Amino acid sequence: MTGPQPTDRPPGADSSDPPGLVDRHDPAQPHAFARVVTAVRAGTAVRAVAAAAGVAVAGYGIAGLMAHPRATHPVHTLRWLLGGLLGHDVIVAPATAVLGVILSRIVAHPYRAVIQVASFVSASVALVSFPLWSGRVGHPANPSVDPLPYGRNLLIVLAAIWTVAAAVMLRRAVRARRSTDRPGRSPR
């Protein structure tokens, strides 16, 4: 039998087109391939603009750092930045991975995401405000440089974060309880 072989190509498709791809010859989808190409190009353009803006902001910051060395202390700033990078790679990233594994084993599914978000936000706030609550800024001769009790304020912010997290978990628990009390309804 040397008749036509069955293929998964639609009629009218070139034999060079691989099977399973969008048929560019199908009149029902004349621009499917063009839409994909346009979307990829638009994403590339957005990333390029964002990268250029990031490089410009970083350049502005570095220029300001170097233009006023007595006020900005470039050596101390570089040491702080390198310490932050090392601290992230040596402490924060491994601790986050371990915390994620522990949470996935001990926290029930509906509450896991809430705990993870609250933990992430808490760690971010504590890390960003570290120079303030650790007492590394300010000058003893000028108490107005560091006038607030930043340690106490950090505790207030963390309490607010975890209060919101507890409220969200309580709401999820109440919804789950109500959905199990009514037969035929699934929890949301």
Side-chain angles (χ1 to χ4, degrees):
M1 289 171 84
T2 60
Q5 300 291 325
T7 66
D8 57 352
R9 291 187 183 99
D14 291 342
S15 60
S16 63
D17 288 341
L21 290 179
V22 174
D23 182 20
R24 294 181 297 215
H25 304 288
D26 183 7
Q29 297 180 355
H31 304 290
F33 185 72
R35 284 191 304 244
V36 170
V37 169
T38 302
V40 168
R41 286 182 182 156
T44 302
V46 169
R47 283 190 298 273
V49 168
V55 168
V57 168
Y60 178 76
I62 291 170
L65 180 73
M66 297 311 224
H68 308 288
R70 290 185 60 196
T72 59
H73 307 288
V75 173
H76 291 94
T77 303
L78 181 63
R79 186 172 39 179
W80 184 81
L81 288 173
L82 290 177
L85 290 172
L86 286 174
H88 174 270
D89 291 348
V90 173
I91 298 168
V92 176
T96 303
V98 169
L99 180 64
V101 170
I102 291 170
L103 287 176
S104 69
R105 304 217 190 262
I106 63 172
V107 177
H109 175 68
Y111 313 113
R112 189 176 308 142
V114 178
I115 297 284
Q116 288 171 335
V117 168
S119 299
F120 178 76
V121 172
S122 297
S124 298
V125 168
L127 186 62
V128 166
S129 64
F130 175 75
L132 298 172
W133 57 262
S134 68
R136 295 186 181 258
V137 295
H139 194 276
N142 186 359
S144 66
V145 173
D146 191 12
L148 301 175
Y150 293 106
R152 183 203 66 192
N153 293 349
L154 174 64
L155 293 177
I156 292 170
V157 170
L158 293 178
I161 291 167
W162 286 98
T163 301
V164 170
V168 170
M169 289 188 293
L170 180 63
R171 183 172 183 227
R172 288 184 178 189
V174 168
R175 279 187 169 180
R177 180 90 147 170
R178 285 182 185 164
S179 67
T180 57
D181 290 345
R182 295 181 190 169
R185 294 196 55 159
S186 63
R188 291 183 186 183

